[in-house]
Amino acid sequence: MKKIMLLFYFAFLGLVACSDDPEPTIIDPTLPQGSFNVLRMGDFMDQNGAGSTGSASLGVDSEGHQFLQFGSSFNTALATGTVTVFLSTSDTFMADPGNGNPDLLAMGVVRNSGTNYFLIPSGVSTDKYTHVILWCGSVGIPFGNAPLN
């Protein structure tokens, strides 16, 4: 009787475990979903010999999330490991820690050349930001900026 029950159990598991469902879709919330509609964009201007090139775009995906995107031709000096990306109200990085940097919005650290996406926090308006700044904190100099038009 135990053998029959054990056989029935394994047959049941085989029927339940097997399905025709396709592989699950994994959604990465740090990447745009669906189409990416560019609202404003600009090309990087190199500063301090960092070799900054490529383009930056502000846009919205199909889900209504805002992103800052660096195009596939983006490049800058990454050897320092501390190239931080900021949205700014000007082409000049002006830290104002006492006021919480009201003219800067830190987006994150850029880790590689080519296409990069930075999710803009929900509820943050990007209307006042006119530039993207690449700031190398380890040496305290800008590596480039891109005006957003």
Side-chain angles (χ1 to χ4, degrees):
M1 182 71 176
K2 284 184 180 181
K3 287 182 183 181
I4 293 174
M5 289 300 286
L6 192 58
L7 183 61
F8 178 72
Y9 176 74
F10 283 117
F12 177 74
L13 282 180
L15 290 174
V16 173
C18 297
S19 71
D20 292 333
D21 290 340
E23 289 292 318
T25 302
I26 298 172
I27 297 174
D28 185 346
T30 63
L31 297 175
Q33 301 301 310
S35 62
F36 182 73
N37 298 312
V38 174
L39 304 174
R40 295 187 287 155
M41 68 179 297
D43 292 325
F44 279 103
M45 293 182 282
D46 184 44
Q47 291 178 281
N48 295 303
S52 299
T53 60
S55 64
S57 304
L58 277 175
V60 178
D61 72 0
S62 298
E63 306 270 321
H65 299 113
Q66 292 185 85
F67 287 87
L68 172 63
Q69 174 199 45
F70 290 177
S72 60
S73 63
F74 169 74
N75 192 30
T76 194
L78 296 170
T80 64
T82 59
V83 181
T84 305
V85 178
F86 291 91
L87 288 178
S88 175
T89 59
S90 75
D91 64 351
T92 305
F93 181 87
M94 292 183 289
D96 187 5
N99 292 315
N101 295 335
D103 298 326
L104 295 171
L105 177 63
M107 298 304 304
V109 175
V110 66
R111 302 260 185 235
N112 55 349
S113 297
T115 304
N116 285 264
Y117 289 98
F118 300 90
L119 177 62
I120 295 170
S122 159
V124 171
S125 172
T126 59
D127 293 343
K128 74 177 184 177
Y129 301 110
T130 59
H131 289 79
V132 178
I133 294 178
L134 302 174
W135 181 257
C136 181
S138 64
V139 291
I141 60 172
F143 274 11
N145 71 74
L148 296 171
N149 300 307

